[in-house]
Amino acid sequence: MVYLSRIYTKSGDSGQTGLGDGTRVAKDSVRVEACGEVDELNAVLGVAMTAAIPDTGLLRNIQNDLFDVGGDLCFPLVEGEAPGKSLRVTSAQVERLEQTIDRLNESLEPLTSFVLPGGSPGSAWLHLARTVCRRAERAIVTLARAEPINPQILIYLNRLSDLLFVLARTANDGGKSDVLWVPGKGT
């Protein structure tokens, strides 16, 4: 469990931060960058929940999962690590996302064009969260090229961006208020 008695420690004043295993790394390391992208995604979801979107309980659970993702990233993967030694994202978390996508997508009309971000305020925030999720995913791909990571992290974020797209459509009156791309319309 986490216990914070002081908010500032001054240990990061020189441009380094501590990972969960105690290792000190530069604040601009690829691992810290990946953690920061996940943190930003979580913050955008917090804002999205203020925009009168459906199913904020679902988003609150996702926010908790994103803390799990951050916890997983902050403890570097060790070869031969004993199961349960560190918090790791699991396939069960991915499966929950997939089940939710399938359930929500059933009520949406199939798309005939790409969807422009927007419509309702809630949908716009969810589209922004989707793009931040994709950026976090790209940062973690970069990390995975440099260091071993739990592969479930990438799978989770890939599914989450899909879910955020479906939720954005749901927030647009079940897709009825989606704004569709019209190729060449701007010319």
Side-chain angles (χ1 to χ4, degrees), residues 104-170:
L104 293 173
N105 201 44
E106 279 180 7
S107 64
L108 298 173
E109 291 293 320
L111 286 170
T112 59
S113 181
F114 290 107
V115 175
L116 299 178
S120 69
S123 179
W125 279 110
L126 289 164
H127 277 294
L128 179 61
R130 175 185 55 77
T131 65
V132 173
C133 186
R134 288 292 189 199
R135 182 168 15 107
E137 186 180 7
R138 290 190 302 272
I140 293 167
V141 166
T142 300
L143 172 61
R145 273 193 251 133
E147 303 176 39
I149 65 158
N150 172 5
Q152 292 299 318
I153 295 172
L154 280 173
I155 298 168
Y156 182 88
L157 289 176
N158 193 26
R159 292 307 177 283
L160 179 56
S161 64
D162 294 335
L163 175 57
L164 291 169
F165 176 77
V166 170
L167 284 170
R169 292 197 66 213
T170 301

Short mmCIF file of all heavy atoms in Angstrom, two decimals, residues 104-170:
data_model
loop_
_atom_site.label_atom_id
_atom_site.label_comp_id
_atom_site.label_asym_id
_atom_site.label_seq_id
_atom_site.Cartn_x
_atom_site.Cartn_y
_atom_site.Cartn_z
N LEU A 104 -20.70 -2.83 -25.85
CA LEU A 104 -21.09 -1.48 -26.26
C LEU A 104 -21.25 -1.36 -27.77
O LEU A 104 -22.11 -0.64 -28.26
CB LEU A 104 -20.06 -0.45 -25.77
CG LEU A 104 -19.99 -0.25 -24.25
CD1 LEU A 104 -18.82 0.64 -23.90
CD2 LEU A 104 -21.29 0.30 -23.72
N ASN A 105 -20.41 -2.05 -28.51
CA ASN A 105 -20.43 -1.93 -29.96
C ASN A 105 -21.68 -2.57 -30.58
O ASN A 105 -22.10 -2.18 -31.67
CB ASN A 105 -19.16 -2.54 -30.57
CG ASN A 105 -18.87 -2.01 -31.95
OD1 ASN A 105 -18.96 -0.82 -32.20
ND2 ASN A 105 -18.54 -2.91 -32.84
N GLU A 106 -22.30 -3.51 -29.86
CA GLU A 106 -23.51 -4.17 -30.37
C GLU A 106 -24.62 -3.18 -30.70
O GLU A 106 -25.37 -3.37 -31.65
CB GLU A 106 -24.06 -5.16 -29.34
CG GLU A 106 -23.37 -6.49 -29.33
CD GLU A 106 -23.96 -7.42 -28.28
OE1 GLU A 106 -24.98 -7.08 -27.63
OE2 GLU A 106 -23.39 -8.51 -28.10
N SER A 107 -24.73 -2.11 -29.90
CA SER A 107 -25.82 -1.16 -30.09
C SER A 107 -25.48 -0.05 -31.08
O SER A 107 -26.34 0.79 -31.39
CB SER A 107 -26.23 -0.55 -28.76
OG SER A 107 -25.14 0.20 -28.23
N LEU A 108 -24.26 -0.01 -31.58
CA LEU A 108 -23.86 1.05 -32.50
C LEU A 108 -24.05 0.60 -33.95
O LEU A 108 -23.80 -0.56 -34.29
CB LEU A 108 -22.38 1.42 -32.28
CG LEU A 108 -22.03 1.98 -30.92
CD1 LEU A 108 -20.52 2.14 -30.79
CD2 LEU A 108 -22.73 3.30 -30.66
N GLU A 109 -24.47 1.55 -34.78
CA GLU A 109 -24.59 1.26 -36.22
C GLU A 109 -23.18 1.10 -36.80
O GLU A 109 -22.25 1.81 -36.41
CB GLU A 109 -25.30 2.41 -36.93
CG GLU A 109 -26.75 2.55 -36.59
CD GLU A 109 -27.58 1.38 -37.09
OE1 GLU A 109 -27.33 0.91 -38.22
OE2 GLU A 109 -28.48 0.93 -36.34
N PRO A 110 -23.02 0.18 -37.76
CA PRO A 110 -21.72 0.07 -38.42
C PRO A 110 -21.35 1.39 -39.10
O PRO A 110 -22.23 2.13 -39.57
CB PRO A 110 -21.94 -1.04 -39.46
CG PRO A 110 -23.12 -1.81 -38.96
CD PRO A 110 -23.99 -0.81 -38.23
N LEU A 111 -20.07 1.67 -39.15
CA LEU A 111 -19.61 2.92 -39.75
C LEU A 111 -19.48 2.80 -41.26
O LEU A 111 -19.10 1.75 -41.78
CB LEU A 111 -18.26 3.31 -39.15
CG LEU A 111 -18.31 3.84 -37.72
CD1 LEU A 111 -16.92 3.96 -37.14
CD2 LEU A 111 -19.02 5.19 -37.69
N THR A 112 -19.77 3.89 -41.95
CA THR A 112 -19.59 3.97 -43.40
C THR A 112 -18.48 4.95 -43.76
O THR A 112 -18.19 5.14 -44.93
CB THR A 112 -20.91 4.41 -44.07
OG1 THR A 112 -21.28 5.69 -43.53
CG2 THR A 112 -22.01 3.40 -43.81
N SER A 113 -17.90 5.58 -42.75
CA SER A 113 -16.82 6.54 -42.94
C SER A 113 -16.05 6.65 -41.62
O SER A 113 -16.50 6.15 -40.59
CB SER A 113 -17.38 7.91 -43.33
OG SER A 113 -16.32 8.82 -43.55
N PHE A 114 -14.91 7.31 -41.66
CA PHE A 114 -14.20 7.59 -40.43
C PHE A 114 -14.96 8.64 -39.64
O PHE A 114 -15.70 9.45 -40.22
CB PHE A 114 -12.78 8.09 -40.72
CG PHE A 114 -11.88 7.01 -41.26
CD1 PHE A 114 -11.51 7.00 -42.59
CD2 PHE A 114 -11.42 5.99 -40.43
CE1 PHE A 114 -10.67 6.02 -43.09
CE2 PHE A 114 -10.60 5.00 -40.92
CZ PHE A 114 -10.22 5.01 -42.26
N VAL A 115 -14.77 8.64 -38.32
CA VAL A 115 -15.45 9.59 -37.44
C VAL A 115 -14.49 10.72 -37.10
O VAL A 115 -13.35 10.47 -36.68
CB VAL A 115 -15.91 8.87 -36.15
CG1 VAL A 115 -16.51 9.87 -35.17
CG2 VAL A 115 -16.90 7.77 -36.47
N LEU A 116 -14.95 11.95 -37.29
CA LEU A 116 -14.16 13.10 -36.87
C LEU A 116 -14.33 13.27 -35.36
O LEU A 116 -15.44 13.12 -34.84
CB LEU A 116 -14.64 14.37 -37.58
CG LEU A 116 -14.54 14.38 -39.10
CD1 LEU A 116 -15.11 15.69 -39.66
CD2 LEU A 116 -13.10 14.20 -39.55
N PRO A 117 -13.25 13.58 -34.64
CA PRO A 117 -13.38 13.80 -33.21
C PRO A 117 -14.32 14.98 -32.94
O PRO A 117 -14.21 16.02 -33.59
CB PRO A 117 -11.95 14.13 -32.77
CG PRO A 117 -11.08 13.52 -33.81
CD PRO A 117 -11.86 13.64 -35.10
N GLY A 118 -15.24 14.78 -32.05
CA GLY A 118 -16.17 15.86 -31.71
C GLY A 118 -17.56 15.33 -31.48
O GLY A 118 -17.75 14.21 -31.04
N GLY A 119 -18.53 16.16 -31.81
CA GLY A 119 -19.92 15.84 -31.51
C GLY A 119 -20.25 16.47 -30.17
O GLY A 119 -20.27 17.68 -30.03
N SER A 120 -20.43 15.64 -29.16
CA SER A 120 -20.71 16.14 -27.81
C SER A 120 -19.39 16.42 -27.07
O SER A 120 -18.34 15.89 -27.45
CB SER A 120 -21.52 15.10 -27.03
OG SER A 120 -20.70 13.97 -26.75
N PRO A 121 -19.44 17.25 -26.02
CA PRO A 121 -18.21 17.48 -25.24
C PRO A 121 -17.61 16.18 -24.70
O PRO A 121 -16.40 15.98 -24.75
CB PRO A 121 -18.67 18.40 -24.12
CG PRO A 121 -19.85 19.13 -24.68
CD PRO A 121 -20.54 18.11 -25.55
N GLY A 122 -18.45 15.27 -24.20
CA GLY A 122 -17.94 14.00 -23.69
C GLY A 122 -17.24 13.20 -24.75
O GLY A 122 -16.17 12.63 -24.53
N SER A 123 -17.82 13.15 -25.92
CA SER A 123 -17.22 12.42 -27.03
C SER A 123 -15.87 13.04 -27.41
O SER A 123 -14.90 12.32 -27.65
CB SER A 123 -18.16 12.41 -28.24
OG SER A 123 -17.55 11.72 -29.32
N ALA A 124 -15.82 14.36 -27.46
CA ALA A 124 -14.57 15.04 -27.81
C ALA A 124 -13.47 14.69 -26.81
O ALA A 124 -12.32 14.41 -27.20
CB ALA A 124 -14.80 16.55 -27.87
N TRP A 125 -13.79 14.69 -25.52
CA TRP A 125 -12.79 14.34 -24.51
C TRP A 125 -12.36 12.88 -24.64
O TRP A 125 -11.19 12.55 -24.47
CB TRP A 125 -13.33 14.61 -23.10
CG TRP A 125 -13.21 16.05 -22.72
CD1 TRP A 125 -14.21 16.94 -22.56
CD2 TRP A 125 -11.99 16.76 -22.45
NE1 TRP A 125 -13.69 18.18 -22.21
CE2 TRP A 125 -12.33 18.08 -22.14
CE3 TRP A 125 -10.64 16.40 -22.45
CZ2 TRP A 125 -11.38 19.06 -21.83
CZ3 TRP A 125 -9.69 17.37 -22.14
CH2 TRP A 125 -10.07 18.67 -21.83
N LEU A 126 -13.29 12.01 -24.96
CA LEU A 126 -12.94 10.59 -25.13
C LEU A 126 -12.07 10.39 -26.37
O LEU A 126 -11.16 9.56 -26.35
CB LEU A 126 -14.20 9.73 -25.19
CG LEU A 126 -14.91 9.61 -23.84
CD1 LEU A 126 -16.34 9.10 -24.04
CD2 LEU A 126 -14.14 8.72 -22.89
N HIS A 127 -12.32 11.15 -27.42
CA HIS A 127 -11.44 11.08 -28.60
C HIS A 127 -10.04 11.59 -28.24
O HIS A 127 -9.03 11.02 -28.68
CB HIS A 127 -12.01 11.88 -29.77
CG HIS A 127 -13.04 11.14 -30.56
ND1 HIS A 127 -12.73 10.01 -31.30
CD2 HIS A 127 -14.36 11.36 -30.74
CE1 HIS A 127 -13.82 9.58 -31.90
NE2 HIS A 127 -14.83 10.37 -31.57
N LEU A 128 -9.97 12.66 -27.45
CA LEU A 128 -8.66 13.14 -27.01
C LEU A 128 -7.97 12.07 -26.17
O LEU A 128 -6.77 11.80 -26.36
CB LEU A 128 -8.78 14.44 -26.21
CG LEU A 128 -7.46 15.01 -25.69
CD1 LEU A 128 -6.51 15.34 -26.84
CD2 LEU A 128 -7.73 16.25 -24.82
N ALA A 129 -8.69 11.44 -25.27
CA ALA A 129 -8.11 10.35 -24.46
C ALA A 129 -7.60 9.23 -25.36
O ALA A 129 -6.53 8.65 -25.11
CB ALA A 129 -9.15 9.82 -23.47
N ARG A 130 -8.34 8.92 -26.43
CA ARG A 130 -7.92 7.87 -27.36
C ARG A 130 -6.58 8.23 -28.01
O ARG A 130 -5.70 7.39 -28.11
CB ARG A 130 -9.00 7.69 -28.44
CG ARG A 130 -8.62 6.71 -29.53
CD ARG A 130 -9.68 6.66 -30.63
NE ARG A 130 -10.01 7.94 -31.22
CZ ARG A 130 -9.26 8.59 -32.11
NH1 ARG A 130 -8.12 8.07 -32.52
NH2 ARG A 130 -9.65 9.76 -32.60
N THR A 131 -6.41 9.49 -28.40
CA THR A 131 -5.15 9.87 -29.04
C THR A 131 -4.00 9.88 -28.04
O THR A 131 -2.87 9.52 -28.38
CB THR A 131 -5.26 11.23 -29.76
OG1 THR A 131 -5.50 12.27 -28.80
CG2 THR A 131 -6.36 11.21 -30.80
N VAL A 132 -4.27 10.28 -26.81
CA VAL A 132 -3.23 10.23 -25.77
C VAL A 132 -2.87 8.77 -25.48
O VAL A 132 -1.71 8.43 -25.26
CB VAL A 132 -3.67 10.98 -24.50
CG1 VAL A 132 -2.68 10.79 -23.36
CG2 VAL A 132 -3.85 12.47 -24.80
N CYS A 133 -3.87 7.89 -25.50
CA CYS A 133 -3.63 6.46 -25.30
C CYS A 133 -2.70 5.92 -26.39
O CYS A 133 -1.77 5.18 -26.11
CB CYS A 133 -4.96 5.71 -25.29
SG CYS A 133 -4.81 3.96 -24.89
N ARG A 134 -2.94 6.32 -27.64
CA ARG A 134 -2.08 5.88 -28.74
C ARG A 134 -0.66 6.41 -28.56
O ARG A 134 0.30 5.72 -28.87
CB ARG A 134 -2.66 6.33 -30.08
CG ARG A 134 -3.89 5.59 -30.51
CD ARG A 134 -3.58 4.15 -30.85
NE ARG A 134 -4.74 3.52 -31.47
CZ ARG A 134 -4.92 2.22 -31.54
NH1 ARG A 134 -4.02 1.40 -31.05
NH2 ARG A 134 -5.99 1.73 -32.09
N ARG A 135 -0.52 7.64 -28.07
CA ARG A 135 0.81 8.19 -27.83
C ARG A 135 1.52 7.41 -26.73
O ARG A 135 2.71 7.11 -26.84
CB ARG A 135 0.73 9.68 -27.47
CG ARG A 135 2.10 10.29 -27.27
CD ARG A 135 2.14 11.81 -27.20
NE ARG A 135 0.89 12.48 -27.00
CZ ARG A 135 0.52 13.07 -25.86
NH1 ARG A 135 1.31 13.04 -24.80
NH2 ARG A 135 -0.62 13.71 -25.78
N ALA A 136 0.78 7.07 -25.67
CA ALA A 136 1.36 6.26 -24.60
C ALA A 136 1.80 4.90 -25.15
O ALA A 136 2.89 4.40 -24.81
CB ALA A 136 0.35 6.07 -23.47
N GLU A 137 0.98 4.34 -26.00
CA GLU A 137 1.32 3.05 -26.62
C GLU A 137 2.63 3.17 -27.42
O GLU A 137 3.50 2.30 -27.33
CB GLU A 137 0.16 2.61 -27.51
CG GLU A 137 0.31 1.24 -28.10
CD GLU A 137 -0.87 0.85 -28.97
OE1 GLU A 137 -1.77 1.68 -29.25
OE2 GLU A 137 -0.87 -0.31 -29.41
N ARG A 138 2.77 4.24 -28.19
CA ARG A 138 4.00 4.44 -28.98
C ARG A 138 5.21 4.60 -28.06
O ARG A 138 6.29 4.06 -28.35
CB ARG A 138 3.86 5.65 -29.90
CG ARG A 138 2.88 5.44 -31.03
CD ARG A 138 2.92 6.55 -32.06
NE ARG A 138 2.66 7.88 -31.54
CZ ARG A 138 1.46 8.43 -31.42
NH1 ARG A 138 0.37 7.75 -31.78
NH2 ARG A 138 1.32 9.66 -30.96
N ALA A 139 5.05 5.31 -26.96
CA ALA A 139 6.17 5.48 -26.02
C ALA A 139 6.57 4.14 -25.42
O ALA A 139 7.77 3.88 -25.20
CB ALA A 139 5.79 6.47 -24.92
N ILE A 140 5.60 3.28 -25.17
CA ILE A 140 5.91 1.97 -24.58
C ILE A 140 6.53 1.04 -25.63
O ILE A 140 7.40 0.23 -25.29
CB ILE A 140 4.65 1.39 -23.91
CG1 ILE A 140 4.31 2.27 -22.69
CG2 ILE A 140 4.86 -0.06 -23.49
CD1 ILE A 140 2.95 2.05 -22.10
N VAL A 141 6.15 1.19 -26.88
CA VAL A 141 6.82 0.43 -27.95
C VAL A 141 8.30 0.83 -27.99
O VAL A 141 9.19 -0.03 -28.10
CB VAL A 141 6.14 0.66 -29.32
CG1 VAL A 141 7.00 0.17 -30.46
CG2 VAL A 141 4.78 -0.02 -29.35
N THR A 142 8.57 2.12 -27.88
CA THR A 142 9.96 2.59 -27.85
C THR A 142 10.70 1.99 -26.66
O THR A 142 11.83 1.50 -26.80
CB THR A 142 10.00 4.13 -27.78
OG1 THR A 142 9.34 4.66 -28.93
CG2 THR A 142 11.42 4.65 -27.73
N LEU A 143 10.07 1.98 -25.50
CA LEU A 143 10.67 1.38 -24.31
C LEU A 143 10.94 -0.11 -24.53
O LEU A 143 12.01 -0.62 -24.19
CB LEU A 143 9.77 1.57 -23.09
CG LEU A 143 10.17 0.83 -21.81
CD1 LEU A 143 11.54 1.28 -21.31
CD2 LEU A 143 9.10 1.02 -20.74
N ALA A 144 9.98 -0.80 -25.13
CA ALA A 144 10.10 -2.25 -25.33
C ALA A 144 11.25 -2.60 -26.28
O ALA A 144 11.79 -3.71 -26.21
CB ALA A 144 8.79 -2.83 -25.86
N ARG A 145 11.64 -1.67 -27.15
CA ARG A 145 12.79 -1.90 -28.01
C ARG A 145 14.11 -1.81 -27.23
O ARG A 145 15.10 -2.39 -27.63
CB ARG A 145 12.81 -0.92 -29.18
CG ARG A 145 12.00 -1.43 -30.33
CD ARG A 145 12.25 -0.64 -31.60
NE ARG A 145 11.03 0.12 -31.81
CZ ARG A 145 10.95 1.40 -32.10
NH1 ARG A 145 12.02 2.11 -32.24
NH2 ARG A 145 9.80 1.99 -32.25
N ALA A 146 14.07 -1.08 -26.12
CA ALA A 146 15.28 -0.86 -25.33
C ALA A 146 15.39 -1.80 -24.13
O ALA A 146 16.49 -2.16 -23.72
CB ALA A 146 15.33 0.59 -24.85
N GLU A 147 14.25 -2.17 -23.55
CA GLU A 147 14.23 -2.98 -22.33
C GLU A 147 13.05 -3.93 -22.36
O GLU A 147 12.03 -3.62 -22.97
CB GLU A 147 14.07 -2.08 -21.09
CG GLU A 147 15.11 -1.00 -20.93
CD GLU A 147 14.81 -0.10 -19.74
OE1 GLU A 147 14.35 -0.60 -18.70
OE2 GLU A 147 15.02 1.11 -19.87
N PRO A 148 13.16 -5.06 -21.67
CA PRO A 148 12.01 -5.96 -21.63
C PRO A 148 10.87 -5.36 -20.81
O PRO A 148 11.10 -4.69 -19.80
CB PRO A 148 12.55 -7.22 -20.96
CG PRO A 148 13.84 -6.84 -20.32
CD PRO A 148 14.33 -5.59 -20.98
N ILE A 149 9.65 -5.56 -21.30
CA ILE A 149 8.46 -5.12 -20.56
C ILE A 149 7.45 -6.25 -20.58
O ILE A 149 7.54 -7.19 -21.37
CB ILE A 149 7.83 -3.84 -21.16
CG1 ILE A 149 7.28 -4.12 -22.57
CG2 ILE A 149 8.79 -2.68 -21.16
CD1 ILE A 149 6.24 -3.14 -23.00
N ASN A 150 6.45 -6.13 -19.73
CA ASN A 150 5.33 -7.05 -19.72
C ASN A 150 4.54 -6.83 -21.00
O ASN A 150 4.00 -5.74 -21.22
CB ASN A 150 4.47 -6.77 -18.47
CG ASN A 150 3.18 -7.54 -18.43
OD1 ASN A 150 2.90 -8.39 -19.27
ND2 ASN A 150 2.37 -7.23 -17.44
N PRO A 151 4.41 -7.83 -21.88
CA PRO A 151 3.70 -7.62 -23.14
C PRO A 151 2.22 -7.29 -22.96
O PRO A 151 1.61 -6.69 -23.86
CB PRO A 151 3.88 -8.95 -23.89
CG PRO A 151 4.29 -9.93 -22.87
CD PRO A 151 4.94 -9.18 -21.76
N GLN A 152 1.64 -7.61 -21.81
CA GLN A 152 0.23 -7.31 -21.58
C GLN A 152 -0.03 -5.80 -21.53
O GLN A 152 -1.15 -5.35 -21.77
CB GLN A 152 -0.26 -7.97 -20.29
CG GLN A 152 -0.34 -9.48 -20.36
CD GLN A 152 -1.30 -9.96 -21.43
OE1 GLN A 152 -2.39 -9.41 -21.62
NE2 GLN A 152 -0.90 -10.99 -22.16
N ILE A 153 1.01 -5.02 -21.23
CA ILE A 153 0.84 -3.56 -21.19
C ILE A 153 0.44 -3.05 -22.56
O ILE A 153 -0.52 -2.28 -22.70
CB ILE A 153 2.12 -2.85 -20.71
CG1 ILE A 153 2.45 -3.22 -19.27
CG2 ILE A 153 2.00 -1.35 -20.87
CD1 ILE A 153 3.81 -2.71 -18.82
N LEU A 154 1.17 -3.46 -23.59
CA LEU A 154 0.86 -2.99 -24.95
C LEU A 154 -0.50 -3.49 -25.41
O LEU A 154 -1.26 -2.74 -26.04
CB LEU A 154 1.94 -3.46 -25.93
CG LEU A 154 3.20 -2.62 -25.93
CD1 LEU A 154 4.27 -3.27 -26.79
CD2 LEU A 154 2.92 -1.21 -26.40
N ILE A 155 -0.82 -4.72 -25.10
CA ILE A 155 -2.12 -5.27 -25.48
C ILE A 155 -3.23 -4.48 -24.79
O ILE A 155 -4.23 -4.11 -25.41
CB ILE A 155 -2.20 -6.77 -25.16
CG1 ILE A 155 -1.15 -7.54 -25.97
CG2 ILE A 155 -3.60 -7.31 -25.43
CD1 ILE A 155 -0.95 -8.98 -25.51
N TYR A 156 -3.04 -4.20 -23.50
CA TYR A 156 -4.05 -3.45 -22.74
C TYR A 156 -4.28 -2.08 -23.39
O TYR A 156 -5.43 -1.68 -23.62
CB TYR A 156 -3.63 -3.30 -21.27
CG TYR A 156 -4.67 -2.56 -20.47
CD1 TYR A 156 -5.71 -3.24 -19.86
CD2 TYR A 156 -4.64 -1.17 -20.35
CE1 TYR A 156 -6.70 -2.56 -19.16
CE2 TYR A 156 -5.61 -0.49 -19.65
CZ TYR A 156 -6.64 -1.19 -19.05
OH TYR A 156 -7.62 -0.50 -18.38
N LEU A 157 -3.21 -1.35 -23.66
CA LEU A 157 -3.37 0.00 -24.22
C LEU A 157 -3.97 -0.04 -25.63
O LEU A 157 -4.75 0.85 -26.00
CB LEU A 157 -2.05 0.75 -24.21
CG LEU A 157 -1.57 1.17 -22.82
CD1 LEU A 157 -0.19 1.81 -22.90
CD2 LEU A 157 -2.55 2.09 -22.13
N ASN A 158 -3.62 -1.04 -26.41
CA ASN A 158 -4.20 -1.18 -27.74
C ASN A 158 -5.71 -1.37 -27.64
O ASN A 158 -6.49 -0.74 -28.36
CB ASN A 158 -3.52 -2.33 -28.47
CG ASN A 158 -3.84 -2.35 -29.94
OD1 ASN A 158 -4.14 -1.33 -30.55
ND2 ASN A 158 -3.78 -3.52 -30.54
N ARG A 159 -6.15 -2.25 -26.75
CA ARG A 159 -7.59 -2.45 -26.55
C ARG A 159 -8.25 -1.22 -25.97
O ARG A 159 -9.37 -0.88 -26.32
CB ARG A 159 -7.88 -3.64 -25.63
CG ARG A 159 -7.55 -4.97 -26.12
CD ARG A 159 -8.14 -5.33 -27.47
NE ARG A 159 -7.65 -6.65 -27.83
CZ ARG A 159 -6.43 -6.90 -28.29
NH1 ARG A 159 -5.57 -5.91 -28.49
NH2 ARG A 159 -6.06 -8.13 -28.56
N LEU A 160 -7.55 -0.55 -25.05
CA LEU A 160 -8.13 0.64 -24.42
C LEU A 160 -8.41 1.72 -25.46
O LEU A 160 -9.46 2.36 -25.42
CB LEU A 160 -7.23 1.18 -23.31
CG LEU A 160 -7.73 2.43 -22.61
CD1 LEU A 160 -9.13 2.24 -22.03
CD2 LEU A 160 -6.74 2.86 -21.53
N SER A 161 -7.51 1.93 -26.40
CA SER A 161 -7.77 2.95 -27.41
C SER A 161 -9.00 2.58 -28.24
O SER A 161 -9.80 3.44 -28.60
CB SER A 161 -6.55 3.19 -28.30
OG SER A 161 -6.23 2.04 -29.04
N ASP A 162 -9.18 1.28 -28.52
CA ASP A 162 -10.38 0.84 -29.23
C ASP A 162 -11.63 1.11 -28.38
O ASP A 162 -12.65 1.59 -28.89
CB ASP A 162 -10.31 -0.65 -29.55
CG ASP A 162 -9.21 -0.99 -30.54
OD1 ASP A 162 -8.82 -0.11 -31.34
OD2 ASP A 162 -8.74 -2.14 -30.53
N LEU A 163 -11.55 0.80 -27.10
CA LEU A 163 -12.69 1.04 -26.21
C LEU A 163 -13.01 2.53 -26.13
O LEU A 163 -14.18 2.92 -26.15
CB LEU A 163 -12.42 0.48 -24.81
CG LEU A 163 -13.49 0.78 -23.76
CD1 LEU A 163 -14.87 0.27 -24.19
CD2 LEU A 163 -13.09 0.20 -22.41
N LEU A 164 -12.00 3.37 -26.07
CA LEU A 164 -12.25 4.81 -25.99
C LEU A 164 -12.94 5.31 -27.26
O LEU A 164 -13.79 6.20 -27.20
CB LEU A 164 -10.94 5.57 -25.73
CG LEU A 164 -10.36 5.33 -24.33
CD1 LEU A 164 -8.95 5.90 -24.25
CD2 LEU A 164 -11.26 5.90 -23.25
N PHE A 165 -12.61 4.73 -28.40
CA PHE A 165 -13.30 5.08 -29.64
C PHE A 165 -14.77 4.70 -29.55
O PHE A 165 -15.66 5.49 -29.89
CB PHE A 165 -12.63 4.39 -30.84
CG PHE A 165 -13.35 4.63 -32.13
CD1 PHE A 165 -13.22 5.85 -32.79
CD2 PHE A 165 -14.16 3.66 -32.68
CE1 PHE A 165 -13.90 6.08 -33.99
CE2 PHE A 165 -14.84 3.88 -33.87
CZ PHE A 165 -14.72 5.09 -34.53
N VAL A 166 -15.04 3.48 -29.09
CA VAL A 166 -16.43 3.02 -28.95
C VAL A 166 -17.17 3.88 -27.93
O VAL A 166 -18.33 4.27 -28.15
CB VAL A 166 -16.46 1.52 -28.58
CG1 VAL A 166 -17.87 1.08 -28.19
CG2 VAL A 166 -15.95 0.68 -29.74
N LEU A 167 -16.51 4.22 -26.82
CA LEU A 167 -17.15 5.09 -25.82
C LEU A 167 -17.43 6.48 -26.38
O LEU A 167 -18.46 7.08 -26.06
CB LEU A 167 -16.28 5.19 -24.57
CG LEU A 167 -16.30 3.99 -23.64
CD1 LEU A 167 -15.22 4.12 -22.57
CD2 LEU A 167 -17.68 3.83 -23.00
N ALA A 168 -16.53 6.99 -27.22
CA ALA A 168 -16.76 8.30 -27.83
C ALA A 168 -18.00 8.26 -28.72
O ALA A 168 -18.81 9.19 -28.71
CB ALA A 168 -15.53 8.74 -28.63
N ARG A 169 -18.17 7.18 -29.45
CA ARG A 169 -19.37 7.03 -30.28
C ARG A 169 -20.61 6.90 -29.39
O ARG A 169 -21.65 7.49 -29.68
CB ARG A 169 -19.25 5.81 -31.19
CG ARG A 169 -18.17 5.97 -32.26
CD ARG A 169 -18.34 4.97 -33.38
NE ARG A 169 -19.59 5.25 -34.08
CZ ARG A 169 -20.35 4.31 -34.63
NH1 ARG A 169 -20.01 3.03 -34.56
NH2 ARG A 169 -21.47 4.64 -35.27
N THR A 170 -20.49 6.15 -28.32
CA THR A 170 -21.61 5.98 -27.40
C THR A 170 -22.02 7.33 -26.81
O THR A 170 -23.21 7.62 -26.67
CB THR A 170 -21.23 4.99 -26.28
OG1 THR A 170 -20.88 3.75 -26.89
CG2 THR A 170 -22.36 4.77 -25.31
#
